Amino acid sequence: MLPYPLDYGHFSALDLLSSRAREKKLRWLREQMDFIRIDSGDPEPSIVAHSFGTYLAGKPIRDFPGQYFDKVILVGSILPTNFPWKNLLASGQVQWVLNEFGGLDIWPKVASRLVADAGDAGTKGFTDKSPFLVQRGYDGFGHSSYFVDSHYQKQWLPTLMQNRRQFAEQLRDRVTMMAGFLRISEQQISVQVFLSDGGFQGGVHLGSPLRFGCRGVLLCGVFGLGGGTAWVGVMCLCVDSDVCVC
């Protein structure tokens, strides 16, 4: 993985209000991405974007179907909460999205009031649901609280280095198979995923909100996916909702 730092330079609040200034920066980023794809030989690069950078990254993805990305990491996003990630992920235009948002971040709300096609996903998260869209909210985080080495190491590098979409697809297939075998709905299955080093990776859901426990447990098992011991899952099959942690 070869990093390409991109700096769009000083961009003031007055610039943000100017559609001409925004379009100029959008053209700049598209040119940079075209260069990176040629220079790296990778037609689907990953991108990490913050603040106005999320606007620059998101608009070409939405408006230009030929712009393909592997992983997209967004922090302090000013994209609208209804951004169509579900369709973009389903089409394969983007393989994986990690959106991190902070409860103390006021700037996405400000941007959503100043710019017609901006939003406050950096405060609230996105409304779309997909097995390939992971959202993490941090109550005590402001607009730039993410920029510390420990956060890079724990949250961003694993996302960039691992093929999490392949894992999620394997997991979904396993859940579908198990639901058919037990003759229950896939929505009755809750899954929590852990890394082999014991770190919590997050829940995977199939169209309904993840439940962290259940009543009337039919099965609770441990399994490995994604090749070797990289992934360990704990699966609860439920017939009723309550609290019963596997």
Side-chain angles (χ1 to χ4, degrees), residues 152-162 164 195 201:
Y152 304 153
Q153 295 287 336
K154 185 177 180 180
Q155 305 297 348
W156 297 1
L157 282 179
T159 297
L160 292 169
M161 299 298 292
Q162 298 166 350
R164 297 191 168 186
L195 296 177
Q201 170 56 31

Side-chain angles (χ1 to χ4, degrees), residues 2-18:
L2 183 64
Y4 289 83
L6 299 178
D7 184 357
Y8 55 78
H10 180 69
F11 199 78
S12 68
L14 290 177
D15 291 325
L16 184 63
L17 294 175
S18 168

Side-chain angles (χ1 to χ4, degrees), residues 11 14-28 30 52 55-56 59 115 117:
F11 199 78
L14 290 177
D15 291 325
L16 184 63
L17 294 175
S18 168
S19 60
R20 180 176 297 181
R22 297 197 305 272
E23 285 298 325
K24 182 178 180 180
K25 293 299 183 182
L26 284 166
R27 288 194 300 271
W28 168 83
R30 289 199 298 271
F52 181 60
Y55 179 92
L56 295 181
K59 276 186 67 67
V115 181
D117 55 351

Side-chain angles (χ1 to χ4, degrees), residues 5-240:
L6 299 178
D7 184 357
Y8 55 78
H10 180 69
F11 199 78
S12 68
L14 290 177
D15 291 325
L16 184 63
L17 294 175
S18 168
S19 60
R20 180 176 297 181
R22 297 197 305 272
E23 285 298 325
K24 182 178 180 180
K25 293 299 183 182
L26 284 166
R27 288 194 300 271
W28 168 83
L29 182 63
R30 289 199 298 271
E31 292 170 358
Q32 294 295 312
M33 295 309 303
D34 288 343
F35 167 77
I36 289 171
R37 288 184 172 95
I38 294 171
D39 188 66
S40 67
D42 186 355
E44 295 186 6
S46 297
I47 189 167
V48 180
H50 170 249
S51 193
F52 181 60
T54 66
Y55 179 92
L56 295 181
K59 276 186 67 67
I61 292 174
R62 183 189 64 191
D63 299 339
F64 297 93
Q67 294 283 328
Y68 287 88
F69 288 89
D70 186 10
K71 287 102 173 178
V72 175
I73 297 178
L74 307 170
V75 293
S77 175
I78 64 168
L79 290 173
T81 56
N82 64 350
F83 195 84
W85 286 120
K86 183 178 180 180
N87 291 337
L88 293 167
L89 288 160
S91 71
Q93 189 174 343
V94 179
Q95 296 299 315
W96 192 268
V97 177
L98 168 61
N99 179 53
E100 297 187 323
F101 55 96
L104 301 180
D105 191 351
I106 65 169
W107 295 112
K109 293 180 180 179
V110 173
S112 69
R113 287 167 171 78
L114 296 178
V115 181
D117 55 351
D120 56 355
T123 303
K124 298 179 180 179
F126 296 106
T127 55
D128 261 5
K129 305 295 182 184
S130 167
F132 314 128
L133 168 62
V134 174
Q135 303 199 74
R136 297 188 182 125
Y138 302 89
D139 291 340
F141 273 32
H143 195 52
S144 299
S145 300
Y146 314 88
F147 298 109
V148 293
D149 287 345
S150 59
H151 193 81
Y152 304 153
Q153 295 287 336
K154 185 177 180 180
Q155 305 297 348
W156 297 1
L157 282 179
T159 297
L160 292 169
M161 299 298 292
Q162 298 166 350
N163 190 342
R164 297 191 168 186
R165 179 164 182 142
Q166 181 184 40
F167 164 75
E169 288 171 340
Q170 290 176 342
L171 179 57
R172 183 173 58 185
D173 291 343
R174 294 276 183 99
V175 170
T176 300
M177 179 181 67
M178 188 64 69
F181 176 75
L182 294 171
R183 297 183 181 181
I184 63 173
S185 167
E186 292 178 1
Q187 280 69 35
Q188 292 176 272
I189 300 176
S190 297
V191 180
Q192 293 191 47
V193 180
F194 297 81
L195 296 177
S196 57
D197 63 4
F200 179 64
Q201 170 56 31
V204 177
H205 63 83
L206 295 161
S208 63
L210 177 72
R211 293 193 300 272
F212 288 94
C214 51
R215 183 177 60 199
V217 176
L218 300 176
L219 175 67
C220 183
V222 179
F223 55 93
L225 285 171
T229 60
W231 301 92
V232 177
V234 179
M235 180 182 292
C236 297
L237 278 67
C238 318
V239 295
D240 243 330

